[in-house]
Amino acid sequence: MSIFGKIKDAIFGRKTAETGARPQAPTQGGQTGGTTTGAVTTAPAPTTQPTEQVDVELVLIDIAQSKGNPDLNYKTSIVDLLKLLGIDSSLDNRKELATELGYTGDKDGSAEMNIWLHKAVMRELAKHGGKVPASLTD
């Protein structure tokens, strides 16, 4: 799984876990979903459920509170954000994240790279349905 995928799952997955996933009701033969016609089973048609926008800042605050409010500057530091989410914040992982998100500068762990990464992660979370305050993306 990509580093950004882990970040997204850590934030959006937490919201999904709070609302819970609805299991499908079994159909004939104990199968879930799909349609049975004779011996042929077809996959269920994809349904579009309205997605609730995840408030990224509130989720991060909740995670910090659940961890006893660790002294992490996750609102501006990519290293602290990764630590808060329980993701390896090593330079190798940040280089991989930089590549995933299209960073074109030197991948040397500089302040410039890390600031860019934090803002890029927040912008990507917003693109994927997260509500992110402008102060975290600009």
Side-chain angles (χ1 to χ4, degrees):
M1 174 181 282
S2 71
I3 305 298
F4 179 74
K6 290 178 184 179
I7 294 168
K8 189 173 81 169
D9 286 353
I11 294 172
F12 293 171
R14 190 169 180 90
K15 182 63 177 175
T16 303
E18 289 173 8
T19 59
R22 253 188 286 153
Q24 288 184 327
T27 59
Q28 287 181 328
Q31 297 174 345
T32 57
T35 308
T36 305
T37 310
V40 179
T41 301
T42 59
T47 58
T48 306
Q49 296 180 7
T51 14
E52 185 179 325
Q53 195 174 33
V54 175
D55 189 325
V56 173
E57 186 174 33
L58 286 179
V59 170
L60 293 174
I61 290 168
D62 181 52
I63 293 170
Q65 287 175 345
S66 72
K67 292 185 175 190
N69 291 319
D71 190 24
L72 297 173
N73 185 15
Y74 61 86
K75 290 184 178 185
T76 58
S77 167
I78 189 66
V79 172
D80 286 353
L81 176 64
L82 293 171
K83 285 180 182 179
L84 180 71
L85 299 174
I87 299 170
D88 179 10
S89 63
S90 68
L91 179 57
D92 286 341
N93 269 5
R94 287 181 282 130
K95 285 179 182 180
E96 185 178 331
L97 180 61
T99 300
E100 286 175 36
L101 299 179
Y103 183 69
T104 57
D106 290 333
K107 295 178 182 117
D108 55 2
S110 67
E112 178 184 326
M113 180 184 108
N114 289 333
I115 291 167
W116 184 93
L117 275 175
H118 190 278
K119 291 178 186 227
V121 163
M122 292 300 161
R123 285 190 297 268
E124 284 299 309
L125 289 170
K127 285 181 191 175
H128 286 85
K131 178 183 169 197
V132 181
S135 63
L136 297 180
T137 60
D138 297 332

